Amino acid sequence: MQTLTIFVALLSMSAVGATNSTHNVSPGECHCGCCAPVGSGEKACTAPVGALHSTTKTDMCRTIYCTDSADTTGAQNQAWSSYCSSRCFPHPEVGSTCRPKECEDAGVNVHCQ
């Protein structure tokens, strides 16, 4: 019985470690995967709302990651769009999503791509 208890304890510890190492995003933290490239073909991202609505991405990200449920829908959309435009660029290999901007600080200027 004691061996089984130790085994279960070790198993649960390894499961917690695996969970922490495979998930970089926590509920309540927006990420660029929740953003969509703007429709005009610009090198910019925005929240997938309005014309860019995606049943999977918009609903899941609004509920879990990118909005404060205490805010109005308009305030949520504005904050989400601001996050996407300031921190994300369209993903070059997956046309329906965005990736984090890669920025280089050159002293006076910061260049992002």
Side-chain angles (χ1 to χ4, degrees):
M1 185 67 175
Q2 189 175 20
T3 304
L4 180 61
T5 304
I6 292 171
F7 175 73
V8 170
L10 289 173
L11 184 62
S12 66
M13 286 173 45
S14 67
V16 168
T19 301
N20 290 338
S21 65
T22 58
H23 294 302
N24 294 332
V25 180
S26 298
E29 291 181 30
C30 200
H31 58 90
C32 291
C34 283
C35 301
V38 296
S40 62
E42 295 175 47
K43 193 174 181 182
C45 293
T46 189
V49 296
L52 296 174
H53 184 271
S54 160
T55 304
T56 307
K57 186 181 283 193
T58 303
D59 298 342
M60 180 186 68
C61 289
R62 179 182 304 281
T63 304
I64 299 172
Y65 298 109
C66 293
T67 61
D68 182 350
S69 60
D71 290 339
T72 64
T73 301
Q76 289 175 349
N77 290 349
Q78 188 171 6
W80 191 0
S81 291
S82 176
Y83 173 88
C84 294
S85 66
S86 67
R87 297 185 182 193
C88 309
F89 271 153
H91 196 291
E93 298 166 4
V94 183
S96 63
T97 195
C98 295
R99 62 163 177 83
K101 286 182 178 179
E102 296 168 3
C103 297
E104 179 182 327
D105 189 345
V108 177
N109 296 319
V110 176
H111 302 282
C112 298
Q113 32 180 321

